[in-house]
Amino acid sequence: MTAWPGFSRQEWLFSLKSFLAAMLALYLSSRFGLPRPFWSLMTAYIVAHPLAGHVRSKSLYRLCGTLLGCAATVVLVPSLSGSPVLLSLAMALWVGACLYLSLMDRSARSYAFMLGGYSAALIGFPLVDAPASMFDTAVARAEEIALGIVCASLVHSIVLPTSLAPSVLGLIDRTLGDIRQWARDLMSPGADDEARARLAQDRRRIASDITQLRLLATHVPFDTGALRWTRHAVGEMHDSLAAMTPSLSALEDRLSGLRDEAGGLPEPVARAMANAGAHLEADASSRALNGVLEAARLESVDQRNSSWVRALHIGVAAHVDELVAGLRRCNGLRVDIAASLAGHAPPPERGTPSRPSVLHVDRGLALRSAFTVVLSTCTACAAWILSGWRAGSSMAMAAAVFCSFFATLDDPLPGMHKFLVALLWSMPVSAFYILGVMPLAQDFGMLVLCIAPLFLVVGGYLARPANSLTALGMFFGVAGTLALHDIASADWVSFLEGNLALFAGALIAARLTAIVRSVSSDWSARRIHRATWHDLAGMAGAARPRRAWVRDAFAGRMLDRIALLVPRTAGSAADHRGEAAQLAMRELRLGASIGVLQQNRHLLPEAPVRELLAGLERAFLAQALESPPRLDALLPQIDRLLALCLASTAGESAVSALVGLRRDLFPSAPSDLQT
């Protein structure tokens, strides 16, 4: 529902709460005699978010980052103030190092590292000519920012707080529903082309939702409601959902292999699958699949079937077993979370504590981003030193901050240009306020009335993802000018110099980013695939068997990569998008198969397993280097080991892993095992 003038009630609520927190911070910082009260106002808006849990976590990490930046400033500026070149280089390297650490940690904690970098630039560069007052200024900045953080956290936590629970539970329920639908589709094949395209899109959404759940889970401990007591259950739910995805993909592939070999599924398996598809509901999913599990195991010991068909049935049984266990675990966790939200005791952990999953990071791109911010900051500092411009400190600050803001994008240039346009539009507004309105405001009430129209409207647009970047540029242009200028002594010359310096620094950052940092989506997608092949080579070359949590961590990282690949192939043809998703799913299955094989290698003959894993490592490394992999020798090795497993008492997990390797590496291989 929309309210006047075009904002929804939720957008108005967010804007009003943000404005209330900012005015409280501005009032208290003025009463406490802090030198730059508008720093508190700006901080209250920066940490604002429609969800209270986000505000509290962002506030904590912003405070940590500010203290880190203040400490760096106090150490660097007084020590190197006599050498402008060394100081510029040291500050630029500090910002670059912090940005690199931020990009290597794709969680809420990354905000602290980024703030630690550019806070040093914001505090240190304006005071290079007054190093003796550096400590006092750093303490004052920390107090102003801390006051804004406290006010924002209090207001957003007390005044009609919005819990994370609807977002988290919505993601969990949607992902569980998509997984059950995927299982239903496997049990009831025969969909038309349109339905298959829709289902493929739903499966790509599973990867995106699981990654989003992982990122939201980092804010759960900060939630204002009972959801914070379910953080362990939410983490276990994420791990369980991530672990089921490769099992479903592998089950789909094994069933396809059986149909290709026999022209259809054996009658007992087909009948059990049809029964399961009709009864695969939330409360009966495990029981419905047990019939498929029993039928597949009976077929796997039927000697009338060929060795390869029996191996495929073992693969089907193993993955159905994993699916049954995963659904049972997820259903139990969902009940635990609901009970905890209803006011019952926090649910106990249902197994081993969930280990922190590692999302995909691109070290090369992170280094490139760090180099870009170092180069931009040094260039701005060089222009400042050579020109002797008194407002040059603002140019260096803007270069450091601007590069840091957009470092997570493949091509930051469009966002930078949009932000630059908003900064230009903010200049006349800033001039109107700082030179016309503020000198006339004789008390705090008049000041609030003067700035309320602008900040309330900007706050409403900040709550809209489509307009948030433009609104953020307008806000930073106005609030940053208010925070960096002494309003009592402001004049046209200092105002124009300061704003031109800010714009020049942002322009330097944008131009150098275009030269050094901007990359295409295809380039990023290729690097994601290469990182996957490196991971697969590492898993195959591990000297000791991998534990289950390492395999699950790879599954979580691969799902994150699939979620990253989806927007990067959004502009491609539908066939190309489907091919990229299928390739990523194949890599996900390969990782799961290698992990299972490593776990069960003690049940298999040591020499053949070692030889096979070494061959896989070489092939994956060649793939990562984009050279033709030599796979021909792997098929006989897989077939010999598979024949040994079928003739021995090796567990069905090992057989299933070998079947997976054969199907994913050699989908067109003949059905007769090459023994």
Side-chain angles (χ1 to χ4, degrees):
M1 188 173 293
T2 302
W4 183 89
F7 293 136
S8 68
R9 287 189 174 88
Q10 289 299 318
E11 290 166 348
W12 269 122
L13 178 61
F14 169 75
S15 182
L16 288 170
K17 289 196 295 185
S18 300
F19 185 73
L20 176 61
M23 293 304 100
L24 179 61
L26 182 63
Y27 174 77
L28 292 176
S29 59
S30 300
R31 292 285 293 177
F32 294 158
L34 296 177
R36 297 295 173 108
F38 280 96
W39 276 91
S40 298
L41 176 147
M42 191 163 60
T43 301
Y45 267 96
I46 290 174
V47 300
H49 193 277
L51 300 176
H54 272 269
V55 175
R56 289 153 66 124
S57 66
K58 199 174 180 182
S59 297
L60 173 64
Y61 293 122
R62 181 172 180 83
L63 180 59
C64 293
T66 300
L67 295 177
L68 182 63
C70 289
T73 304
V74 171
V75 171
L76 293 176
V77 175
S79 303
L80 301 173
S81 59
S83 177
V85 174
L86 284 179
L87 177 58
S88 301
L89 182 60
M91 292 287 282
L93 289 173
W94 170 259
V95 177
C98 289
L99 179 60
Y100 175 78
L101 293 175
S102 173
L103 295 174
M104 294 302 292
D105 183 2
R106 289 179 54 212
S107 69
R109 290 187 304 270
S110 65
Y111 193 54
F113 294 116
M114 184 184 292
L115 260 293
Y118 71 69
S119 291
L122 288 172
I123 298 169
F125 280 130
L127 295 174
V128 293
D129 294 329
S133 62
M134 178 58 64
F135 181 79
D136 293 337
T137 302
V139 171
R141 289 298 91 81
E143 290 173 342
E144 291 154 2
I145 290 171
L147 190 58
I149 287 170
V150 170
C151 291
S153 299
L154 284 175
V155 170
H156 285 277
S157 300
I158 295 174
V159 180
L160 300 175
T162 304
S163 174
L164 283 165
S167 299
V168 172
L169 296 182
L171 274 175
I172 289 174
D173 291 340
R174 187 169 74 177
T175 307
L176 264 177
D178 287 342
I179 284 177
R180 291 194 189 100
Q181 185 60 50
W182 191 349
R184 262 187 223 102
D185 297 335
L186 296 182
M187 301 301 115
S188 306
D192 56 22
D193 292 340
E194 182 179 351
R196 278 195 294 269
R198 175 178 50 81
L199 295 173
Q201 183 177 1
D202 291 343
R203 289 163 198 174
R204 290 195 294 270
R205 188 178 68 185
I206 290 175
S208 177
D209 286 349
I210 289 176
T211 296
Q212 187 63 25
L213 179 60
R214 162 72 177 82
L215 297 174
L216 271 179
T218 62
H219 301 286
V220 167
F222 301 93
D223 192 61
T224 55
L227 184 70
R228 64 181 180 272
W229 307 119
T230 69
R231 61 184 184 276
H232 294 301
V234 171
E236 291 178 33
M237 176 68 82
H238 167 268
D239 294 344
S240 299
L241 292 171
M244 275 199 295
T245 307
S247 296
L248 275 166
S249 180
L251 178 59
E252 184 174 28
D253 179 76
R254 306 308 173 258
L255 290 171
S256 176
L258 275 175
R259 293 189 184 97
D260 292 341
E261 289 299 321
L265 294 176
E267 196 274 333
V269 176
R271 185 171 60 249
M273 287 178 59
N275 181 63
H279 298 89
L280 198 62
E281 301 298 337
D283 57 346
S285 52
S286 299
R287 293 193 301 274
L289 288 168
N290 279 330
V292 182
L293 180 62
E294 294 172 3
R297 281 181 172 151
L298 286 174
E299 290 293 324
S300 69
V301 297
D302 190 342
Q303 296 300 319
R304 293 174 297 179
N305 294 324
S306 67
S307 297
W308 177 235
V309 171
R310 285 191 288 121
L312 285 172
H313 278 295
I314 290 175
V316 169
H319 292 299
V320 170
D321 200 9
E322 291 175 355
L323 184 58
V324 168
L327 285 171
R328 185 180 294 121
R329 180 178 174 82
C330 287
N331 291 336
L333 287 169
R334 184 64 181 87
V335 171
D336 290 343
I337 293 171
S340 183
L341 291 176
H344 300 289
E349 296 185 28
R350 289 180 166 263
T352 57
S354 60
R355 300 175 183 267
S357 58
V358 180
L359 300 178
H360 170 77
V361 292
D362 190 331
R363 289 178 174 81
L365 194 58
L367 283 172
R368 198 165 174 169
S369 298
F371 175 73
T372 302
V373 74
V374 170
L375 182 61
S376 299
T377 307
C378 287
T379 302
C381 288
W384 176 21
I385 293 170
L386 293 174
S387 66
W389 192 11
R390 65 175 182 174
S393 60
S394 297
M395 185 165 52
M397 287 188 308
V401 174
F402 215 54
C403 285
S404 299
F405 270 175
F406 298 94
T408 57
L409 302 176
D410 286 342
D411 185 6
L413 208 56
M416 285 182 163
H417 286 166
K418 196 172 184 179
F419 202 90
L420 278 170
V421 171
L423 280 178
L424 284 175
W425 280 107
S426 74
M427 286 184 184
V429 179
S430 301
F432 172 73
Y433 271 98
I434 198 170
L435 299 174
V437 175
M438 294 302 176
L440 301 178
Q442 301 300 317
D443 54 32
F444 183 76
M446 183 63 70
L447 176 63
V448 172
L449 289 176
C450 289
I451 63 178
L454 173 67
F455 282 85
L456 285 173
V457 172
V458 168
Y461 283 111
L462 284 173
R464 290 183 176 180
N467 305 113
S468 60
L469 187 59
T470 301
L472 196 63
M474 177 64 72
F475 169 77
F476 270 107
V478 177
T481 302
L482 294 173
L484 294 173
H485 284 78
D486 187 349
I487 296 173
S489 60
D491 55 61
W492 276 105
V493 175
S494 62
F495 171 80
L496 288 175
E497 278 194 330
N499 279 272
L500 286 175
L502 286 172
F503 186 79
L507 193 60
I508 288 172
R511 290 300 90 204
L512 289 176
T513 296
I515 296 170
V516 179
R517 169 60 180 77
S518 293
V519 297
S520 67
S521 297
D522 289 340
W523 185 88
S524 294
R526 288 196 301 272
R527 287 185 63 84
I528 290 172
H529 284 300
R530 284 202 296 270
T532 300
W533 292 115
H534 275 295
D535 281 355
L536 291 172
M539 294 181 71
R544 288 194 279 177
R546 293 278 179 166
R547 298 180 181 178
W549 69 266
V550 177
R551 181 192 64 188
D552 294 344
F554 174 80
R557 189 159 56 249
M558 275 304 305
L559 290 172
D560 177 47
R561 286 170 179 158
I562 294 172
L564 292 173
L565 284 169
V566 168
R568 286 168 171 82
T569 57
S572 306
D575 292 342
H576 185 267
R577 290 200 303 271
E579 182 181 348
Q582 288 178 3
L583 177 59
M585 276 294 181
R586 170 176 167 255
E587 293 162 352
L588 173 59
R589 295 194 302 267
L590 281 171
S593 297
I594 293 172
V596 172
L597 188 63
Q598 285 276 31
Q599 284 179 259
N600 292 272
R601 64 186 296 178
H602 63 283
L603 302 174
L604 306 172
E606 177 60 26
V609 173
R610 187 171 61 249
E611 183 182 359
L612 173 60
L613 290 172
L616 288 170
E617 181 184 14
R618 289 191 297 270
F620 294 150
L621 284 176
Q623 192 83 24
L625 297 174
E626 297 186 345
S627 59
R630 301 180 62 182
L631 300 175
D632 297 341
L634 292 177
L635 180 58
Q637 294 175 17
I638 294 172
D639 285 356
R640 282 195 295 270
L641 195 53
L642 186 55
L644 289 173
C645 291
L646 289 172
S648 66
T649 58
E652 67 178 23
S653 295
V655 175
S656 175
L658 291 168
V659 171
L661 290 175
R662 194 180 197 270
R663 284 282 302 169
D664 289 322
L665 293 175
F666 307 99
S668 301
S671 57
D672 296 331
L673 300 183
Q674 300 180 21
T675 57

